Amino acid sequence: MSPLVAQLFSILYRFLKFLFLQILVQIEQERPPLPLLRLPQLAYKNVIDMMTACEQVTLSLCSRKTYAIVKNTRHRPKSLELWLNEYNLLDVATGPYKTTNSKRNFSALIGVTKKWRCFNPEETVMIKGNRVHVRLITDSDGKQFLGTFWEDENTGLRTIADYVCDLFRVDLFCVMLENDHRRMFDWLRNRQSFVNIFGIGDRNQISDEDYCYGRRRINAISLL
């Protein structure tokens, strides 16, 4: 085969490959979305169980019906733990828990950020009676979690923690507080009888009086 013929075949091959990929893209764009709620119960239960915790929370925010489906039909894993950290994130922790230094696998589930004036969200959802701006956020590892935007961050933290705990029917496993300490102490005491791990994000940002108040109010297995 002469070099000219080989070059023509190469050009033709790349052109046909390009056309094939364009057809695949068009088919993918025209494919209708999965009618999840029209599937039999066992089928959509299996679909929900294959979702990540973040995807389940996001689905639950679509409507009251999806909230009820996620809450009542999903498989309840024994190892699911919710960690409210000092970075205004609610994390899901997996892996065996032995000590506070045990290596755990964490993934961000939902976060809270203070809303700014020029913010123009793509979506809003209802969370426990609050109309909340939301956006999918990608972290440094390429994983996505749901970001929520509030006028008051601590109100947002309390609200999303209550929402997710109710949805997954679990209590918070770990709570790390950064500010608004007394109000957060009282909220935590009212929502659950004890927490496995409790800590203050920055000990220098809390008064001795508030710190002692929290120690008296919070029943924790481990204090950080």
Side-chain angles (χ1 to χ4, degrees):
M1 182 182 297
S2 67
L4 179 59
V5 174
Q7 185 177 6
L8 289 175
F9 270 109
S10 176
I11 294 173
L12 179 61
Y13 170 76
R14 292 198 298 270
F15 177 70
L16 292 175
K17 182 179 179 180
F18 172 77
L19 287 180
F20 178 71
L21 291 176
Q22 291 296 108
I23 293 172
L24 286 181
V25 170
Q26 185 175 0
I27 292 174
E28 185 67 27
Q29 291 176 345
E30 294 177 354
R31 181 180 298 173
L34 175 66
L36 178 63
L37 302 184
R38 296 181 184 177
L39 297 176
Q41 181 176 350
L42 180 60
Y44 70 63
K45 181 182 183 301
N46 289 335
V47 172
I48 291 172
D49 287 342
M50 293 172 63
M51 293 179 176
T52 65
C54 179
E55 290 169 340
Q56 290 175 349
V57 170
T58 303
L59 176 63
S60 75
L61 291 169
C62 293
S63 68
R64 293 181 181 178
K65 184 174 182 179
T66 57
Y67 174 86
I69 288 174
V70 173
K71 181 173 182 177
N72 298 319
T73 66
R74 62 181 288 275
H75 173 67
R76 297 176 62 187
K78 296 180 180 180
S79 61
L80 187 143
E81 297 169 2
L82 298 177
W83 292 52
L84 187 64
N85 67 36
E86 66 270 32
Y87 305 110
N88 290 353
L89 282 173
L90 186 61
D91 292 333
V92 174
T94 58
Y97 176 78
K98 297 179 181 178
T99 68
T100 55
N101 295 323
S102 298
K103 185 177 181 180
R104 315 301 305 284
N105 297 317
F106 289 91
S107 58
L109 180 62
I110 187 169
V112 170
T113 303
K114 187 173 181 59
K115 185 169 57 176
W116 59 91
R117 290 183 179 179
C118 60
F119 179 66
N120 185 23
E122 297 178 359
E123 299 287 347
T124 61
V125 297
M126 291 296 295
I127 303 180
K128 299 187 78 68
N130 299 278
R131 176 65 64 179
V132 182
H133 302 303
V134 296
R135 175 182 292 175
L136 278 177
I137 298 174
T138 304
D139 63 17
S140 57
D141 296 326
K143 297 180 180 179
Q144 289 187 320
F145 65 93
L146 192 65
T148 62
F149 299 84
W150 302 75
E151 296 290 348
D152 181 78
E153 291 175 296
N154 289 304
T155 298
L157 278 176
R158 294 190 292 268
T159 304
I160 66 167
D162 285 337
Y163 179 88
V164 176
C165 286
D166 292 343
L167 179 68
F168 289 160
R169 299 183 182 184
V170 295
D171 283 336
L172 293 168
F173 185 87
C174 171
V175 176
M176 299 291 293
L177 300 182
E178 186 67 22
N179 51 43
D180 198 14
H181 299 107
R182 288 215 175 197
R183 191 177 303 177
M184 298 297 281
F185 291 152
D186 292 338
W187 161 76
L188 182 59
R189 176 64 181 269
N190 291 331
R191 78 146 286 104
Q192 57 192 72
S193 59
F194 80 99
V195 63
N196 290 70
I197 303 173
F198 175 78
I200 304 296
D202 187 348
R203 180 66 177 83
N204 296 324
Q205 292 186 1
I206 182 173
S207 66
D208 291 338
E209 182 181 357
D210 284 353
Y211 183 76
C212 292
Y213 178 83
R215 290 291 297 267
R216 293 193 303 268
R217 296 282 291 170
I218 304 302
N219 182 18
I221 296 176
S222 177
L223 292 171
L224 302 180

